[in-house]
Amino acid sequence: YYTHRVIEDPEWSLATVPHLTELCLQHIVHNFEKNPILDRLLPEHQRKVLDRLSTGLPLAVTANLISDEDYWKRCCTERWQVCDISNYGDSWKRMFFERHLENILKCFIPNTTDPKQVLELIPLCKDYVWKLEVDQFLPPVKVDQKEEKDDLSDTGSDFGLGEVSTHHYNLGVLITALPHLEELHLTYGVKDCGMNFEWNLFNFTHQDCCNLAVAVKTCHNLKVFKLTRSKVDDDKTRLLVRNLLDHPSLVELNLSHNLIRDKGARAVGKLINHSRLETLDLCNNQIRHLGAQALAQALAENSTLTSLNLRLNCLEDKGGEAIGHALLTNTTLKSIHLGSNNLSEPTAVLFSQVLAQNTTLTSINFSCNHLGLDGGKQLLEGLKDNKALTEFDLRLAEVGQETEYLIHQIVWANREAARLGALQHPPTKPL
Amino acid sequence: REALGEDAEPKVAEEEEEQRRTHKQIEESRQRLAKLLFDGTQMVTNIQVAADLRETQRRAEEAELKLQRVEKLENEAKSSTYKFEEITSKWALAKEMTIPQELWQLLNQQQQQCELLLEEKNKLIGDLQQELKNKDEQYVQAIKKQSDDIYLLLERMEEQIRIMLKTYHHKLLQIEKAFELERRELLDNNRKKWEEAIQAHNAQELEYLHARMRKVEEFEKQLNQLRVEDEEEYNSMKIQLENDVQNLERQLQQMKAAYQLNQEKLEYNLQVLKKQDEENTIIRSQQKRKLNRLHSLLNNLRTKLAKQEKQFREENQSLAAYCERITGQCKEVQRRMRHFAVSDAEKFTEVWLMNEEEAKGLMRKALDADRIIHTQQLGLPWEEPRYWFLNNVGPLRHYKAKRMATKLAVEVLTELGSGEGGKENTAKVEDRVTPLRNISKTTVKKILELVSDESGFLIESKLLRPLHALGRHERTLMKLDSIFAALEIDSEDDLYQLVDFFLKYKAQEVAVSQLPKFAKGQGCGQLPGGRWQLGGRRWWKAPCPTCWPSLQSQGSPGGEDVTNLAEDREDGGSSAQRDELKSPRSLLGSLPSVYIHADDVLKILKAFVRDFHKLREKDGSAKEVLQVRDSSKDGEYWEALAHVIPEPTLKLWDALAVALEEYYEVLTRRASLLAEAAVLQQQNSELCLLLEEYVSSGVNSKLLSPPTQWMDLNLSRPGEAQ
């Protein structure tokens, strides 16, 4: 009897035999690349297949077939350590494709990398890309080779030579092929260059600017456009603005950390009243009082802009006063940043008037200016009857601790009042 | 429940309090957290602000340095250009130099100066490079500083995050604790409430249970009672029903017996009926046989009938022939009668003429005497009296018969047309017409005019054309003439008949309108009594069932055959005619101004023509009648003849005689009586003779009332006087 059992394989049991469905699913998983079957399966089987699929499958197979979030989550987490899904509309698939495309663009070297690499990806990812955030554009290889050769030579001699051939990848083809694109964050520069630093690496050429401007113009769904740290000067600003005039959906424009001067500022001022811009960031440029006056003039007539950032410019009192005058009539702007602008008492005097009159402004930043004690007192005076302002930054503005404290008290009270008001309007009780 | 409600109120208050407590806790935590968050952000952003400040400061320094550098460079450029110019100016001197030593010296000098210039430039470059190096170092330092800052920033952020997490955790725990506490309290409270409620509920439930038990018992009792009652009732009911059943069974038995009886009866009846049926079949066969027999009999009779009919038809034919013969005989008799009448008339006229001659002679004599008397004795002018009868020769009837219808018409028309033109004619006509017929002339005239107007179709077309040229009166006459010719109206009588006919028709119509019952069935051509009889045969033939009963009652008092009646009618026609003709006339006299509608004229004429021919057939009898009637006028005629001397003349004569007698007496007195007496006797005898002769004349005796009777007196007187 015992031997008999041995012959019959004692470990045998029905449980060890996998189901036929299991086998089939396994087969499907193994041959998914050649024969992708997913839609025709039952939901539970789909689930199983998706759980087992390899993340290394070519995108051509998976991109338009699989919409399951878990699969794309696996793909993302395997590829990148940090994954903040909230920046990508809570969609793992979108995150995967956006970041995948960004990586390819970051590593794209003109004249060396095959442009098909991008073009092939377009039909796969066009339905899932809403935002492009590219903070690096590599210059052509020639320059690299030159750079390598001239590594030891004088840096000055490179200036004239690389000019012709330092055009970057033209985004026009890609951008026009992405129908859902709403945000575009670009930085023409090289990251992590370390000791290989060359001015050449950071050259946003006129041709690049032309290509970009035309591409942006054709992209009608674009809402947010950021072009930072790219050495955008007055001419390029004007070129961009000319193409962005009367854009149907652009809401936010960020040209911070560039080389915009008064002329560029004037062009941007024109753009304010010829578009639906709500947020404008021009921090760390070289705008002086003329540019500020042009912006102020536009601001006085405008009724869409809600946020304006002019940090780290050189407006000085003339520009500050011009903007103050504009804010006396403007009724839409909610937030303004005038930090590090070499402002002093006259601006503070005018802004005390603004604070007394304006009821829409909720946030003002005067940090790193030389308002002085009297200026601080003037502002305190103007703020006494104001109930709208909830943020008022006066750090390092030489207004004196007492004034700062008092202003802080008022702003804090205003903030509490605003919070209660917001609570009352949507009547949900906090518990 | 009330207890619960009471409990709830303080609970609610407590709850609110609790809520407030938790709320307070949350608010506090929130404020603390906000503060913490604000401080944290402040701390983090401080770094950025500091960096910004540094940057601005650096920029300001940079700008200053740049200015200095630019100034320095400019100064240097200026001085170097000055020196360079100096050198270049010396080059011009050098060209003028001819002495080699001087030139060498100058060249040396120049070299030295150039070196100086270059040195200066190199120094500047060195300075700038030095500055650049410094800047590089500064850049490195700045990078280091920035990386430090970033580290610091990261540190602070991490710390901030840690603190925030901790505090959030802490606060969350606190809030949770507060909630837990609150919940526990609430739970306790609710449990307490619940238990109380449960206890109350249990007590109530118990109470309900007891009540229910009690009720159950009660109901059970009631049920028992009801059951007993029902049982009794049921028993009684059962007994009653059983009795009923027995009764019904008995009745059933009875009914069954009756049924049996009836069945037997019915069976018996059935038997009887069957027998009867058999009998009936026998009878029926018998009847059938009888029927056949009778049928054969009927056939025999039919053949007999046919035979008889044939016989009767033959008989009838023979009778008809006989009748024809009789009528022929009758006609013969009539003809003979007419012949006799004619001969009688001739005789009559002869006698008449003779008598008349005689009478006229006498009359002439009388008249002569009268004339003599008048002319000779009285000396008055004498006019011969003109009486109608003076010119009359022969019997009166002759004269009238000769008169033509047209003439009469002419008379009537002219008389009326010309008013009182011919007095004689009028008098005559009036004399003649009025006594004869009571019809007014106007009526006659109207009728004639109507006839002439309406029956123009009877006039020949040839005549019509010239007629237009004539006057109205003549035209009417001409027309009438031709119409009469067409209608074969010759005599006066015919004309009168026509007029009569019209009037009768009218009267009949009036009668019809008076008796609408009669008019209903008869239509427009209907005629009353006599008129009706004249056209008797015709009317009989036309089937007129509605008028039958009236006819029978009128014409045939007995229930005779139709044919008989018709014959009767025919026979009685002539005799009745007179009466009938008269009676309507009198009737018509009262309606002289009857209006005859123009449309009716044709109908009337048609009827008239129909009847007129029948009248003609009976001419003989009609003539006879006319002659007999004339004899009455003869008396008058003769009387008139007798009285040819009117009464006043006679009176005159009497008076004259008296006067003459007186005159004679005077004469006699004056003359000799004898002579005179002799003369008188002689005269007297003469007169006597005359008288005797006159009286003894045969004519007088013939007359019914001889005029001599009283004329004798008149004649005798003068005679006697004489």
Side-chain angles (χ1 to χ4, degrees):
Chain A
Y1 185 71
Y2 185 70
T3 49
H4 184 67
R5 269 189 72 184
V6 167
I7 291 160
E8 275 202 338
D9 186 359
E11 281 162 14
W12 187 89
S13 93
L14 197 65
T16 57
V17 180
H19 288 282
L20 183 59
T21 49
E22 281 295 308
L23 290 169
C24 290
L25 292 176
Q26 203 131 22
H27 190 75
I28 287 170
V29 169
H30 284 311
N31 297 296
F32 200 81
E33 190 176 342
K34 290 171 196 163
N35 188 15
I37 301 165
L38 188 67
D39 293 339
R40 282 169 281 168
L41 298 175
L42 293 172
E44 56 210 287
H45 300 153
Q46 275 187 16
R47 189 73 257 145
K48 280 180 181 171
V49 170
L50 288 169
D51 284 345
R52 288 180 208 171
L53 274 179
S54 154
T55 52
L57 286 170
L59 284 174
V61 177
T62 55
N64 289 316
L65 186 65
I66 298 172
S67 58
D68 183 63
E69 284 293 297
D70 285 345
Y71 174 77
W72 295 111
K73 185 180 177 182
R74 278 197 294 136
C75 291
C76 289
T77 46
E78 269 177 35
R79 203 162 156 185
W80 300 291
Q81 286 184 335
V82 183
C83 298
D84 186 3
I85 197 174
S86 64
N87 282 336
Y88 301 92
D90 294 327
S91 164
W92 288 100
K93 191 173 185 182
R94 181 182 153 190
M95 175 175 166
F96 180 83
F97 278 104
E98 283 180 6
R99 289 184 74 166
H100 183 63
L101 192 62
E102 281 161 16
N103 278 350
I104 285 173
L105 289 175
K106 275 182 199 171
C107 303
F108 191 92
I109 303 165
N111 303 333
T112 324
T113 319
D114 190 3
K116 275 184 185 172
Q117 217 181 353
V118 179
L119 293 176
E120 276 171 0
L121 197 62
I122 286 172
L124 304 178
C125 68
K126 66 176 182 182
D127 288 332
Y128 316 107
V129 174
W130 301 74
K131 185 171 90 173
L132 264 185
E133 205 169 344
V134 186
D135 53 2
Q136 169 171 288
F137 278 97
L138 292 177
V141 180
K142 267 185 194 171
V143 184
D144 285 352
Q145 288 167 348
K146 240 184 209 172
E147 205 176 43
E148 280 165 20
K149 282 176 197 168
D150 303 343
D151 231 358
L152 300 171
S153 68
D154 251 343
T155 50
S157 60
D158 260 324
F159 267 93
L161 293 169
E163 193 72 31
V164 189
S165 54
T166 50
H167 301 315
H168 295 87
Y169 173 68
N170 183 5
L171 280 171
V173 183
L174 179 66
I175 286 174
T176 49
L178 298 173
H180 300 303
L181 194 69
E182 285 182 356
E183 290 191 39
L184 192 59
H185 302 190
L186 301 175
T187 303
Y188 282 83
V190 182
K191 281 173 89 177
D192 301 326
C193 54
M195 293 311 286
N196 291 333
F197 175 82
E198 285 271 346
W199 282 112
N200 253 352
L201 299 178
F202 302 89
N203 202 358
F204 180 51
T205 63
H206 192 261
Q207 184 63 39
D208 287 337
C209 187
C210 283
N211 293 339
L212 184 63
V214 170
V216 169
K217 190 181 182 182
T218 54
C219 188
H220 294 294
N221 285 330
L222 196 69
K223 283 182 181 166
V224 181
F225 181 51
K226 295 186 181 175
L227 184 60
T228 54
R229 289 183 279 141
S230 299
K231 288 167 100 182
V232 179
D233 55 16
D234 284 346
D235 291 337
K236 286 167 191 161
T237 311
R238 279 154 77 180
L239 184 64
L240 282 171
V241 165
R242 204 182 306 142
N243 283 291
L244 285 173
L245 280 179
D246 296 319
H247 195 280
S249 53
L250 194 70
V251 173
E252 185 178 342
L253 181 66
N254 189 340
L255 293 171
S256 55
H257 309 291
N258 281 309
L259 301 172
I260 301 171
R261 287 168 189 276
D262 291 340
K263 281 183 185 173
R266 206 173 293 151
V268 173
K270 192 184 174 190
L271 179 67
I272 290 173
N273 281 328
H274 283 87
S275 65
R276 301 155 164 235
L277 272 186
E278 286 174 12
T279 310
L280 181 62
D281 195 340
L282 291 171
C283 82
N284 197 8
N285 280 297
Q286 293 168 11
I287 300 168
R288 290 174 187 280
H289 65 267
L290 287 172
Q293 277 161 1
L295 283 172
Q297 202 178 341
L299 200 61
E301 297 164 8
N302 188 274
S303 60
T304 56
L305 204 67
T306 56
S307 168
L308 179 63
N309 193 339
L310 291 169
R311 188 168 70 93
L312 275 173
N313 282 296
C314 313
L315 303 189
E316 296 182 335
D317 280 333
K318 276 187 184 174
E321 276 170 331
I323 286 179
H325 278 295
L327 287 178
L328 283 174
T329 55
N330 186 293
T331 53
T332 51
L333 199 72
K334 285 181 179 169
S335 160
I336 187 161
H337 198 311
L338 292 170
S340 317
N341 265 312
N342 235 347
L343 305 174
S344 57
E345 208 180 318
T347 316
V349 171
L350 195 68
F351 263 81
S352 76
Q353 219 174 326
V354 170
L355 286 172
Q357 275 192 23
N358 198 310
T359 53
T360 51
L361 214 55
T362 56
S363 166
I364 299 175
N365 197 328
F366 274 136
S367 58
C368 306
N369 283 305
H370 316 289
L371 300 181
L373 290 172
D374 291 339
K377 275 170 191 165
Q378 290 280 355
L379 284 174
L380 185 62
E381 196 83 354
L383 197 60
K384 262 180 188 170
D385 293 328
N386 192 301
K387 299 287 171 205
L389 202 71
T390 54
E391 279 180 47
F392 198 5
D393 200 337
L394 288 170
R395 282 174 292 177
L396 301 174
E398 301 164 17
V399 291
Q401 273 194 331
E402 195 187 341
T403 318
E404 204 175 336
Y405 177 73
L406 287 172
I407 286 172
H408 177 69
Q409 289 295 321
I410 291 170
V411 168
W412 197 252
N414 279 350
R415 194 184 292 186
E416 282 297 303
R419 195 185 67 85
L420 286 173
L423 281 178
Q424 274 168 7
H425 281 299
T428 43
K429 253 189 167 182
L431 261 173
Chain B
R1 297 258 163 110
E2 277 180 24
L4 276 172
E6 278 172 17
D7 283 348
E9 272 181 36
K11 280 278 149 115
V12 168
E14 268 177 53
E15 257 176 53
E16 277 178 9
E17 214 173 305
E18 286 296 314
Q19 269 196 351
R20 221 173 287 149
R21 202 185 296 161
T22 48
H23 193 246
K24 220 185 272 170
Q25 174 73 42
I26 289 162
E27 188 66 19
E28 195 187 326
S29 309
R30 196 191 56 73
Q31 273 181 1
R32 277 193 65 181
L33 282 170
K35 189 102 177 165
L36 200 66
L37 191 68
F38 180 75
D39 288 345
T41 3
Q42 203 84 337
M43 228 157 74
V44 173
T45 46
N46 270 342
I47 293 165
Q48 194 207 347
V49 172
D52 279 356
L53 186 66
R54 267 203 307 278
E55 175 67 17
T56 43
Q57 278 171 358
R58 188 192 66 77
R59 280 190 191 176
E61 278 170 26
E62 195 85 342
E64 216 171 297
L65 280 173
K66 209 176 181 180
L67 266 174
Q68 281 179 7
R69 210 178 301 138
V70 167
E71 207 178 321
K72 210 165 133 190
L73 278 172
E74 274 176 2
N75 285 342
E76 201 273 335
K78 255 183 212 166
S79 62
S80 56
T81 42
Y82 174 71
K83 279 174 185 169
F84 185 66
E85 271 169 19
E86 214 177 315
I87 292 164
T88 41
S89 62
K90 276 187 182 164
W91 282 121
L93 275 174
K95 276 186 182 171
E96 290 162 15
M97 289 280 193
T98 47
I99 306 152
Q101 281 166 339
E102 277 181 5
L103 190 66
W104 185 72
Q105 263 183 354
L106 190 71
L107 280 172
N108 272 349
Q109 239 175 355
Q110 286 287 56
Q111 201 175 5
Q112 275 174 0
Q113 274 178 344
C114 283
E115 272 172 7
L116 267 173
L117 192 66
L118 277 173
E119 222 169 273
E120 250 174 68
K121 291 276 176 192
N122 278 338
K123 194 184 165 194
L124 192 67
I125 287 165
D127 282 353
L128 284 173
Q129 273 184 344
Q130 187 64 41
E131 225 170 286
L132 195 68
K133 248 179 209 171
N134 285 343
K135 281 282 159 195
D136 274 346
E137 274 170 23
Q138 273 181 6
Y139 174 65
V140 172
Q141 275 178 355
I143 284 179
K144 263 183 196 167
K145 175 75 185 152
Q146 278 181 356
S147 65
D148 284 351
D149 276 352
I150 285 166
Y151 278 126
L152 190 65
L153 195 68
L154 282 173
E155 236 169 67
R156 278 185 181 177
M157 279 164 84
E158 268 164 20
E159 200 185 345
Q160 169 83 357
I161 287 164
R162 219 168 45 240
I163 290 167
M164 289 301 282
L165 269 175
K166 217 196 249 170
T167 43
Y168 269 113
H169 204 69
H170 186 65
K171 291 292 156 193
L172 193 69
L173 275 175
Q174 275 189 340
I175 290 166
E176 244 171 38
K177 257 183 207 166
F179 270 109
E180 190 79 13
L181 203 71
E182 199 181 313
R183 182 166 159 272
R184 201 163 298 145
E185 276 174 12
L186 268 172
L187 267 175
D188 284 350
N189 277 337
N190 285 344
R191 193 166 295 145
K192 251 184 232 165
K193 252 193 247 169
W194 171 250
E195 273 166 10
E196 275 172 25
I198 282 278
Q199 272 182 355
H201 180 75
N202 279 347
Q204 226 164 5
E205 198 83 331
L206 248 161
E207 216 171 281
Y208 285 147
L209 200 71
H210 282 308
R212 196 181 128 84
M213 292 280 271
R214 246 181 286 132
K215 264 187 188 168
V216 164
E217 278 170 16
E218 212 172 287
F219 284 143
E220 213 162 307
K221 258 184 221 164
Q222 277 185 357
L223 263 177
N224 276 334
Q225 202 176 337
L226 275 173
R227 209 171 287 156
V228 170
E229 277 174 17
D230 281 354
E231 210 164 328
E232 280 169 16
E233 208 175 308
Y234 170 75
N235 281 339
S236 64
M237 185 82 95
K238 199 178 176 186
I239 290 162
Q240 197 183 334
L241 286 170
E242 274 172 357
N243 283 342
D244 282 359
V245 165
Q246 281 177 358
N247 281 338
L248 286 169
E249 269 177 2
R250 216 175 299 142
Q251 277 180 1
L252 188 73
Q253 293 278 340
Q254 280 175 1
M255 290 305 285
K256 265 184 186 167
Y259 168 73
Q260 201 97 14
L261 204 70
N262 278 338
Q263 205 177 15
E264 277 171 17
K265 263 188 200 168
L266 285 169
E267 268 173 15
Y268 174 71
N269 279 347
L270 189 72
Q271 294 280 340
V272 170
L273 283 169
K274 269 181 184 168
K275 267 181 192 166
Q276 274 184 355
D277 193 40
E278 280 170 21
E279 276 171 26
N280 279 342
T281 47
I282 293 161
I283 287 167
R284 207 185 295 155
S285 58
Q286 277 177 355
Q287 292 286 352
K288 260 183 194 166
R289 254 175 279 144
K290 220 182 197 174
L291 204 70
N292 287 336
R293 216 167 47 228
L294 284 171
H295 262 294
S296 55
L297 204 70
L298 183 70
N299 284 336
N300 287 343
L301 283 171
R302 266 191 192 144
T303 48
K304 243 185 221 172
L305 179 71
K307 266 182 206 168
Q308 272 190 347
E309 265 182 1
K310 209 186 266 175
Q311 201 182 325
F312 279 130
R313 210 173 292 139
E314 281 164 14
E315 215 172 307
N316 189 22
Q317 276 176 357
S318 65
L319 281 172
Y322 181 65
C323 181
E324 228 167 84
R325 208 166 57 234
I326 286 175
T327 47
Q329 280 173 0
C330 181
K331 269 181 188 169
E332 182 68 20
V333 168
Q334 274 179 352
R335 199 168 45 83
R336 224 176 282 166
M337 211 169 73
R338 218 172 288 139
H339 172 72
F340 285 132
V342 170
S343 63
D344 279 359
E346 271 168 19
K347 249 180 216 168
F348 176 74
T349 40
E350 274 167 25
V351 171
W352 181 284
L353 282 172
M354 189 185 75
N355 282 345
E356 205 175 35
E357 227 170 284
E358 219 170 330
K360 275 195 181 154
L362 283 173
M363 196 173 60
R364 186 65 47 194
K365 262 184 197 168
L367 284 173
D368 282 345
D370 193 31
R371 185 172 50 94
I372 290 162
I373 289 167
H374 272 267
T375 50
Q376 292 178 4
Q377 294 294 326
L378 295 173
L380 292 166
W382 188 79
E383 266 182 274
E384 204 181 316
R386 290 174 194 271
Y387 299 117
W388 57 276
F389 48 84
L390 290 180
N391 301 326
N392 191 24
V393 179
L396 274 171
R397 186 65 211 148
H398 276 266
Y399 182 73
K400 277 182 217 161
K402 272 174 207 166
R403 259 202 329 165
M404 292 307 285
T406 42
K407 274 179 196 165
L408 185 67
V410 170
E411 273 172 27
V412 170
L413 288 170
T414 46
E415 184 238 319
L416 281 167
S418 58
E420 310 200 351
K423 259 187 189 173
E424 259 187 350
N425 216 350
T426 326
K428 269 186 198 172
V429 170
E430 268 181 87
D431 282 346
R432 226 173 322 115
V433 173
T434 33
L436 280 174
R437 324 239 172 241
N438 292 332
I439 307 157
S440 74
K441 276 150 277 152
T442 45
T443 323
V444 173
K445 194 201 167 200
K446 265 185 196 165
I447 290 166
L448 287 175
E449 273 173 358
L450 255 177
V451 169
S452 74
D453 286 346
E454 289 301 318
S455 45
F457 62 90
L458 292 169
I459 308 161
E460 283 176 67
S461 55
K462 274 182 210 168
L463 269 171
L464 273 172
R465 232 167 288 158
L467 272 179
H468 290 294
L470 297 168
R472 182 177 163 275
H473 187 64
E474 280 123 357
R475 201 191 311 158
T476 320
L477 276 178
M478 293 292 281
K479 269 185 190 171
L480 275 176
D481 200 12
S482 55
I483 290 162
F484 287 159
L487 291 175
E488 295 173 35
I489 293 173
D490 304 325
S491 65
E492 191 184 5
D493 283 352
D494 292 340
L495 183 64
Y496 281 122
Q497 261 175 12
L498 179 68
V499 175
D500 265 357
F501 202 89
F502 271 95
L503 290 171
K504 261 185 259 166
Y505 179 80
K506 201 63 226 171
Q508 172 232 333
E509 264 204 346
V510 170
V512 164
S513 66
Q514 278 162 356
L515 300 163
K517 175 182 77 180
F518 198 73
K520 248 185 226 169
Q522 311 237 342
C524 54
Q526 190 61 43
L527 295 167
R531 166 78 209 88
W532 212 78
Q533 282 165 352
L534 292 173
R537 193 171 280 168
R538 190 155 294 249
W539 289 105
W540 283 123
K541 276 170 190 172
C544 204
T546 44
C547 60
W548 257 40
S550 64
L551 280 171
Q552 276 176 345
S553 63
Q554 216 177 22
S556 55
E560 283 175 301
D561 271 348
V562 179
T563 43
N564 286 350
L565 183 85
E567 278 167 32
D568 260 21
R569 231 0 77 109
E570 218 177 331
D571 292 347
S574 53
S575 60
Q577 191 186 17
R578 202 185 310 163
D579 307 331
E580 296 298 334
L581 278 170
K582 270 176 189 169
S583 64
R585 210 175 299 138
S586 60
L587 186 127
L588 287 168
S590 61
L591 313 154
S593 57
V594 186
Y595 175 71
I596 298 167
H597 197 270
D599 292 345
D600 295 334
V601 170
L602 263 182
K603 281 179 218 157
I604 299 164
L605 275 177
K606 230 186 236 176
F608 174 75
V609 168
R610 266 202 305 269
D611 301 336
F612 195 61
H613 294 297
K614 267 161 242 161
L615 266 176
R616 284 280 158 87
E617 286 170 18
K618 296 161 199 165
D619 248 357
S621 62
K623 272 178 188 170
E624 205 176 32
V625 168
L626 277 170
Q627 275 178 351
V628 169
R629 192 182 51 188
D630 264 354
S631 65
S632 67
K633 310 266 171 176
D634 289 349
E636 279 172 39
Y637 173 63
W638 291 119
E639 242 173 278
L641 274 182
H643 293 101
V644 76
I645 308 294
E647 201 84 30
T649 327
L650 285 177
K651 272 182 187 165
L652 187 76
W653 281 6
D654 284 343
L656 188 67
V658 171
L660 282 174
E661 262 178 71
E662 278 174 14
Y663 180 60
Y664 175 67
E665 272 177 35
V666 173
L667 279 176
T668 50
R669 253 175 255 159
R670 235 173 8 176
S672 59
L673 283 165
L674 281 171
E676 280 171 333
V679 172
L680 280 170
Q681 268 176 339
Q682 201 181 336
Q683 267 183 341
N684 198 20
S685 62
E686 275 176 11
L687 280 169
C688 279
L689 277 171
L690 194 70
L691 256 172
E692 257 174 75
E693 200 181 354
Y694 182 72
V695 167
S696 63
S697 72
V699 181
N700 269 356
S701 67
K702 266 186 186 175
L703 290 168
L704 285 172
S705 56
T708 46
Q709 277 184 349
W710 50 279
M711 209 169 71
D712 194 26
L713 285 168
N714 290 342
L715 287 170
S716 65
R717 246 181 231 176
E720 279 173 42
Q722 279 177 349

